[in-house]
Structure formats: structure tokens, C-alpha cells
Amino acid sequence: MTVREWASAMNRMDDWQMEITEDMLREGFALFDKDNSGFLTPDELVGILTRPGGGSAMSEADAKAFVEKHDKNKDGKLSIDEFVRAIAADRKSVLR
């Protein structure tokens, strides 16, 4: 599955008010983690997720702010658990 296919599936599920499971979010994380580091950096999120509130893809500044907001241990990147919590909390605004 590609990133675009994953995001499209998440959007359809949200539109149909279907539950998005943690496993689905973990699958998305694996797609976004381009260097297989086990973490997502702002650079990996640019152009993938949408800006909070919907609309166009995240810019570098948006991605950095998203990571800063959800990076609980302040290491400058999101772990898989931080990502799952972030998307679960903000999914309507970042999956569009």
C-alpha cells in the first residue's frame, strides 16, 4: 500500500464513520517512516498529512509544529506511540 492509498482509505473510513484502529495507524506509520528508523521526523511528514483543519498538504513549518505538539519526550521526532496518539487525537483535521 502506498501513502496515498493509506490516506485515502483513512478518509473513506472517516467519512463512513467507521472505526480507525491502532493497527491501521501503525501501518500508516510504517509507510511514512521512510528511513525505517522507528521515528517520524518533520521532513517525513511534509506533504503526507494535511494541515490541521484540512486543506493542502503540510508545509515544513506545519510538520514541525505538529511534531512539537505531539512529541512528548521532546526529542524532535515522533515515536510510533506518539504518532498513534497524535492521529487519534487530531485525525479529523490531519487525515483530510
Side-chain angles (χ1 to χ4, degrees):
M1 177 178 281
T2 67
V3 169
R4 188 173 302 275
E5 290 168 338
W6 180 87
S8 178
M10 294 299 104
N11 285 333
R12 282 192 307 273
M13 293 183 77
D14 202 39
D15 289 343
W16 298 336
Q17 298 181 342
M18 295 175 69
E19 181 180 356
I20 296 175
T21 67
E22 185 173 327
D23 287 341
M24 293 173 188
L25 296 176
R26 289 179 180 276
E27 183 178 337
F29 181 94
L31 291 171
F32 302 156
D33 184 14
K34 296 173 188 165
D35 62 1
N36 295 313
S37 66
F39 296 95
L40 295 179
T41 63
D43 289 342
E44 289 172 313
L45 292 175
V46 171
I48 295 173
L49 298 178
T50 60
R51 293 180 180 159
S56 58
M58 277 189 180
S59 66
E60 288 181 43
D62 294 329
K64 185 176 179 185
F66 183 81
V67 169
E68 287 175 358
K69 176 180 177 183
H70 298 289
D71 179 17
K72 298 303 178 194
N73 64 355
K74 304 300 180 201
D75 62 358
K77 54 194 174 190
L78 296 180
S79 68
I80 192 163
D81 291 330
E82 290 168 329
F83 175 77
V84 167
R85 282 192 297 270
I87 297 299
D90 289 350
R91 84 174 202 200
K92 288 191 183 259
S93 64
V94 297
L95 290 178
R96 288 273 168 214

